[in-house]
Amino acid sequence: MAKSENTWEMEGTEAPTMEGTEVPTMEGTEVPTMAGPEAPEVKFTSVDYTLFILMLVASMGIGVVSAFRSRGKASTQEYLLGGRNMSPVPVAFSLLGGSISAISILGNPTEIYFFGTQLSTSLLGCIPGCIFVHQVVVPTFYHLKLVSINEYLQVRFGSRLLRTLATLCLLLVNFIYMGMCLYAPTLALSTVTGIATWASTLIMGVICTFYITIGGVKAVVYTDVLQTLLMFGGVLVVGIICCVDLGGVGNVWTIAEQGGRISFFDLNTSPYERHTLLSTVMFGFYIMLSGVGFSQTVYQRLASVRTMETAKRLVVFFLVGLYLLWIVFYFSGLVAFATYSDCDPLTSGKIEKPDQIVPFLVTDKLSHLTGLSGIFVAAVYGGVLSTLSSCGNSFACVIWEDFLKDRPYFRRLSDAKATNVVKFLSAASGVLAICMGLMVEKLGSIFHVANSILSAISGPLHGVFLSGICAPWMNAKGAIVGFVASFTFSVWVVIGKFVRGGGSPPRLPLSIEGCQEGLQHLANTTVTTFLANTTLTDALMANSSVSDALLDDTHSIEGSSTKTIYEISYCYSGVIGMALTIAVGTLVSLITGPTCPKEVDGVVNPACGRAYQRLWDFLKSRRAKEQRIVIQEEELKMLGISTVQNLNTPS
């Protein structure tokens, strides 16, 4: 098969063409193409640009104000954690905005558009995940007064090597994620603004680097408030207006149901299905653990408030906010499908990438509303800035705390000079994000990339944290071997998907029947019938790439029913990584000698610690009892021999 233009395209994201397909024609008759009517011109007015620029200016202004108010308070604690006395209200919005990126704004609607609503049941899995983080993770981390969560691994396992491995893994995840967040939305938003992707990447990267560097975590937090409100408001306005034009929520739901998009209780237990109730619920649980419980960016916000109870309430607020935002994002996907149920823009060639669905909707249907495109662009870029600022600040934090702080040269620095070093690291993170954003052009669609690659890389690391908190028997050797084994396996699977290749997974049907209304009526009914009955899956199968396998967790290779580990749903990637770390680590720990309960007192979950202490005491008493029995048997044996010898001795 011919290789697609981009190396890692999600499910064949290039607009399908008729290339390689012979269509019967009548002499003198022009054959219509898949492109259909021309896409509407980009109409980004001066009002739209004004609103967009105001958002950027406001973001930079907040950074300047935060830096001005913090003058004379030069310390790394102030810069990274806001002095641990920040107001919970802005921190709550920052917690939400820093975790909900433009990947969610553009990627979630795209998944609903192509694969239906089953993904939305991941919100059910977020509830037990939130309870676990609220009751187990936050109390364990908060009272230790950490700055970098990787420090916990050294406190818990007493291993500097493990802490270093964890930091390197975290930096790798941040580096990839920042590049995705910076580049992917600019690609999709070129549909609305017409701004070149490289120019947009540079603008966003420079602005974000500026206000992270001068203002620290306070600039990030206060800017996140603005950006979170923009994210929610921008997408909500677009959804409401389009929904009204379609006749209300009832009509949108009816059209989506007729198109096969409504599905919530797929009880299929096959791990190879892209979305099922089981896989999405497990995915939601993992989202809460990875995105909140074991996230450096989130921990810095939770540690910036005065009390642990406030931090725990912030976790609950995050869950509520996540529900509100993601429901709006998911519904916007249904609205987009209802709008284009009979004329899919990707199949008809009006857009090139799946992630352009919602931006195209704004341009196509709402461009007559002055300023709305500007609000939407500000909302999506707000998500970009919010995520980048959070990642950049945590990037500087872990490098300073885990690599530089204890070095002889840096230990002698004053607070002011140390803070300048951290600011330099923040600036460096912004530059690296820009470089990665410019290089990540080959990746393609954002939702699946983020959740496939990043879950595979971060799952083993989160398994180490989970082992440290809930597996008191785990020792340093077990944690290191478990992490390395799980990380190697996860990366091998990701690379295997890329190398092995395969066909595009089956998608829900899409139609272009409505696109024929704008074309000249043709006498050749064969051509018309062919175009009207062509679905997205049929067209894309002709353009599938070997590299699609990296992002397509389900392969529909014609004539082959064999499934391998490479076809397992991306929803399980993170959970498998965590489980493998715990399993291998436990086995190695039992072989090399489990940790004594007294050695982990205060650094594990109290309930797990008490249960392990009781088990330890029970096994210890049992071993002592067995030893006493052995000793008694040996004493009796010796006594018996001695008695026999005495009887045989002549008087």
Side-chain angles (χ1 to χ4, degrees), residues 6 26 47 67 72 82 118 122 128 135 191 220 278 319 381 417 459 487 490 494 507 523 525 529 551 584 608:
N6 288 333
M26 296 176 60
V47 176
Q118 186 62 67
S122 60
Q135 296 295 113
T191 309
V220 173
L278 176 62
L319 180 66
Y381 274 97
K417 291 182 178 180
F487 184 83
S490 299
V494 170
R507 303 189 196 176
T525 57
T529 303
L551 303 177
V584 175
C608 295

Side-chain angles (χ1 to χ4, degrees), residues 154-188:
Q154 187 170 0
V155 174
R156 164 64 176 84
F157 295 104
S159 173
R160 180 72 191 186
L161 173 61
L162 182 60
R163 179 179 179 180
T164 301
L165 291 175
T167 302
L168 292 174
C169 183
L170 179 61
L171 292 176
L172 176 62
V173 170
N174 269 11
F175 184 51
I176 297 174
Y177 187 56
M178 289 170 72
M180 291 178 185
C181 291
L182 188 58
Y183 168 76
T186 65
L187 174 65

Side-chain angles (χ1 to χ4, degrees), residues 273-439:
E273 292 294 324
R274 183 185 184 87
H275 295 147
T276 65
L277 181 62
L278 176 62
S279 67
T280 54
V281 169
M282 293 183 67
F283 182 56
F285 182 82
Y286 177 75
I287 286 175
M288 287 300 297
L289 259 63
S290 64
V292 181
F294 305 134
S295 168
Q296 173 66 31
T297 58
V298 170
Y299 172 74
Q300 283 181 245
R301 282 150 182 75
L302 298 180
S304 68
V305 296
R306 294 182 180 89
T307 65
M308 185 176 68
E309 292 303 317
T310 302
K312 293 170 72 173
R313 284 195 291 269
L314 289 176
V315 174
V316 177
F317 174 85
F318 176 85
L319 180 66
V320 175
L322 180 72
Y323 263 72
L324 292 176
L325 281 173
W326 276 17
I327 286 174
V328 170
F329 298 160
Y330 289 146
F331 186 70
S332 67
L334 291 181
V335 169
F337 174 77
T339 303
Y340 299 113
S341 60
D342 61 348
C343 184
D344 171 53
L346 184 63
T347 310
S348 61
K350 296 177 182 178
I351 60 176
E352 297 179 354
K353 307 289 181 180
D355 295 313
Q356 292 177 310
I357 288 292
V358 176
F360 178 79
L361 175 66
V362 175
T363 301
D364 185 26
K365 303 298 182 182
L366 305 177
S367 60
H368 62 283
L369 300 175
T370 304
L372 187 59
S373 295
I375 294 175
F376 178 76
V377 171
V380 178
Y381 274 97
V384 177
L385 290 173
S386 179
T387 302
L388 284 178
S389 61
S390 301
C391 291
N393 194 260
S394 66
F395 184 95
C397 177
V398 296
I399 291 181
W400 170 256
E401 290 291 326
D402 297 334
F403 289 146
L404 303 180
K405 181 181 177 181
D406 295 328
R407 302 287 180 181
Y409 172 78
F410 295 100
R411 194 186 303 127
R412 293 193 298 267
L413 295 179
S414 63
D415 279 340
K417 291 182 178 180
T419 303
N420 288 334
V421 173
V422 176
K423 288 183 178 181
F424 173 79
L425 293 174
S426 298
S429 72
V431 173
L432 289 174
I434 294 173
C435 295
M436 186 63 185
L438 294 173
M439 290 189 301

Side-chain angles (χ1 to χ4, degrees), residues 175-243:
F175 184 51
I176 297 174
Y177 187 56
M178 289 170 72
M180 291 178 185
C181 291
L182 188 58
Y183 168 76
T186 65
L187 174 65
L189 291 173
S190 62
T191 309
V192 179
T193 64
I195 300 175
T197 55
W198 66 266
S200 180
T201 301
L202 287 175
I203 292 171
M204 292 300 100
V206 169
I207 292 174
C208 190
T209 302
F210 174 77
Y211 76 76
I212 298 174
T213 303
I214 66 171
V217 74
K218 286 188 175 181
V220 173
V221 167
Y222 293 129
T223 309
D224 282 349
V225 175
L226 169 66
Q227 292 160 354
T228 302
L229 293 176
L230 278 173
M231 277 194 290
F232 182 75
V235 180
L236 182 63
V237 168
V238 170
I240 289 176
I241 294 177
C242 291
C243 185

Side-chain angles (χ1 to χ4, degrees), residues 35 77 85 99 121 203 205 211 216 223-224 244 255 261 348 351 371 413 481 483 488 497 557 565 602:
Q77 289 282 324
N85 60 357
S99 302
T121 54
I203 292 171
Y211 76 76
T223 309
D224 282 349
V244 171
I255 296 173
R261 261 57 186 177
S348 61
I351 60 176
L413 295 179
V481 174
F483 169 72
T488 303
K497 286 186 178 184
I557 304 175
I565 195 170

